[in-house]
Amino acid sequence: MLPHLKTILSAAVALLALSGVPGADAAACKNPAVRKEWRALTKTERVEWIDAVKCLAQLPHDENLTPTVNRSISNIVALNASGSYYDDFVYMHMDLNTRIHFTGLFLPWHRWYVAVYENALKTKCGFRGASPYWDWVKDSADVHDSPIFDADPESGLGGWGDPANDFRVPNGAFSNTSDFHLTYPSPHTLRRNYTLQPLLNFPLPGFLTAADEQLDGNATFTPAERDKLVNGFVGDFKGFQSYFESFNGSHGAVHLTLGGDLGGTCPDDAPSDCVGGPTFSANEPIFWLHHGMVDRLWTQWQDKHPENKHAFFGGSVEALENATYYKEFPNGAAPFFNLNSTMPSDGLFPQPRIADVMSTTAGMLCYVYE
Ligand SMILES: [Cu+2]
């Protein structure tokens, strides 16, 4: 126990010294930031977050961004130095796609990613709030008409895309006539394509049952499904992550129900070698709210049982070659990670260790969810 605590503390001190990642009070975490649900924010608070996101999208590319995955593996377009700092965040996720999904890094890396993004909003764009989340469980009965899809040009996330215009979002603060422009995989504006049954004709054979393929996306994030996730899998990190991240689980279903950028579909006018998938999903500002919710459910699971708090297990190599292999290693095959393993940050940030983000109120982090 003691050496473990000691390494967490020394890592926190080292990280603060290096670049002051999240939370000014992180060393002690006496006053955690409170992350709120989008609908609990005042209109002014929504405008502040939106303005900061759009500010990041006006800042220049950071030359420190250094892709680490060979493009024959990542299947992504080349880095585009004319993109914005927001695009750099997207590109890091594109580059690292095969290392941070269906591996043990999924939960800790995305927790870290939302935290460093939130910190960039603060340090580069004057944001003073906390990263919001979208509690999609509240909308499981009717995602299409959720009030989060608000057309207000200053405080709204915008509605559904126009099918006659490549599902480009026509209203809200990130509309196709706003100054929110995206670079990857090719220059375009934000797209959203409501998809009721996102698993129809699923491309990987044997991964899903015929019944799964018929699922309505929202059936995966009902209150009952959330309770099953948060209350179950006691001490079983692999089981928890793989239920959450599986193709018929809530994490992916939210991505695919919103379609467009969050669903990882290529723009109509992208080059013909564009490969869809999870890579450029962070183009969608709702990505940060969605992954806030994913992180929130992980914190709820961690708090549910003492055996969950520090539970961690996962491999470093995606096991997606076939369904049998995937079922054995849904969160990655060997070599396996441990809490001291570092996570990739593509030159934009110091590399965190998994242990640094196992708690949201210790190590390098200092926040709680409302
Ligand atoms: Cu991701």
Side-chain angles (χ1 to χ4, degrees):
M1 191 64 177
L2 198 57
H4 177 64
L5 269 175
K6 222 174 118 188
T7 42
I8 289 181
L9 280 172
S10 60
V13 170
L15 274 163
L16 283 169
L18 267 170
S19 84
V21 191
D25 291 343
C29 194
K30 290 201 178 92
N31 193 11
V34 179
R35 292 186 176 179
K36 296 180 183 169
E37 213 269 341
W38 184 252
R39 283 161 279 206
L41 302 183
T42 64
K43 189 167 180 178
T44 307
E45 288 171 330
R46 291 179 212 169
V47 171
E48 283 170 357
W49 184 80
I50 285 170
D51 284 353
V53 173
K54 293 169 85 171
C55 158
L56 278 193
Q58 297 296 323
L59 296 179
H61 159 65
D62 182 339
E63 288 177 3
N64 291 313
L65 174 59
T66 311
T68 50
V69 176
N70 191 299
R71 278 174 51 221
S72 69
I73 293 166
S74 62
N75 258 326
I76 59 172
V77 297
L79 196 151
N80 181 343
S82 70
S84 71
Y85 190 56
Y86 186 95
D87 294 315
D88 286 348
F89 271 90
V90 175
Y91 198 80
M92 172 165 57
H93 186 265
M94 294 167 68
D95 176 54
L96 298 174
N97 171 38
T98 54
R99 300 180 65 189
I100 57 174
H101 302 119
F102 304 105
T103 72
L105 295 188
F106 174 67
L107 290 167
W109 192 89
H110 286 80
R111 172 175 282 179
W112 168 85
Y113 187 47
V114 174
V116 288
Y117 176 78
E118 175 189 45
N119 199 51
L121 295 177
K122 290 180 175 181
T123 57
K124 296 189 184 278
C125 289
F127 180 59
R128 289 174 307 163
S131 213
Y133 65 91
W134 171 28
D135 184 353
W136 19 256
V137 176
K138 282 186 200 291
D139 295 308
S140 60
D142 187 357
V143 182
H144 186 273
D145 292 328
S146 166
I148 80 150
F149 301 111
D150 173 357
D152 187 286
E154 277 150 22
S155 65
L157 298 167
W160 297 103
D162 175 2
N165 188 22
D166 194 18
F167 297 98
R168 286 165 199 257
V169 173
N171 52 27
F174 302 105
S175 78
N176 59 341
T177 53
S178 75
D179 59 358
F180 186 69
H181 292 226
L182 300 161
T183 296
Y184 298 112
S186 56
H188 69 288
T189 59
L190 182 64
R191 294 160 307 129
R192 251 177 232 153
N193 174 9
Y194 177 72
T195 307
L196 178 65
Q197 288 174 287
L199 301 173
L200 288 176
N201 307 312
F202 190 74
L204 303 176
F207 279 67
L208 294 177
T209 64
D212 282 340
E213 292 197 33
Q214 298 293 324
L215 268 178
D216 289 352
N218 56 320
T220 69
F221 49 92
T222 59
E225 278 294 318
R226 173 204 52 209
D227 293 348
K228 186 175 171 186
L229 181 71
V230 169
N231 300 331
F233 309 102
V234 178
D236 175 15
F237 183 89
K238 175 181 170 183
F240 174 77
Q241 179 191 327
S242 47
Y243 192 76
F244 209 165
E245 199 193 10
S246 66
F247 295 97
N248 56 349
S250 53
H251 160 255
V254 171
H255 275 278
L256 299 176
T257 299
L258 267 66
D261 279 297
L262 197 66
T265 60
C266 293
D268 275 351
D269 56 2
S272 58
D273 58 354
C274 176
V275 178
T279 69
F280 49 82
S281 54
N283 277 335
E284 163 68 90
I286 290 176
F287 175 98
W288 309 101
L289 278 63
H290 172 38
H291 271 280
M293 179 63 178
V294 170
D295 184 46
R296 176 172 175 258
L297 294 185
W298 183 25
T299 65
Q300 291 181 354
W301 180 80
Q302 288 185 302
D303 290 342
K304 202 80 197 174
H305 294 280
E307 303 94 306
N308 295 353
K309 196 139 205 101
H310 304 286
F312 176 77
F313 175 85
S316 60
V317 183
E318 285 182 333
L320 300 174
E321 283 89 338
N322 62 66
T324 311
Y325 192 43
Y326 170 71
K327 276 168 193 151
E328 189 173 358
F329 300 110
N331 76 337
F336 292 97
F337 291 116
N338 60 56
L339 290 173
N340 276 315
S341 305
T342 52
M343 302 197 286
S345 55
D346 279 8
L348 287 178
F349 303 98
Q351 289 193 63
R353 293 175 321 144
I354 293 169
D356 300 327
V357 300
M358 283 300 286
S359 166
T360 68
T361 54
M364 62 185 279
L365 305 174
C366 190
Y367 65 85
V368 292
Y369 286 98
E370 187 172 79

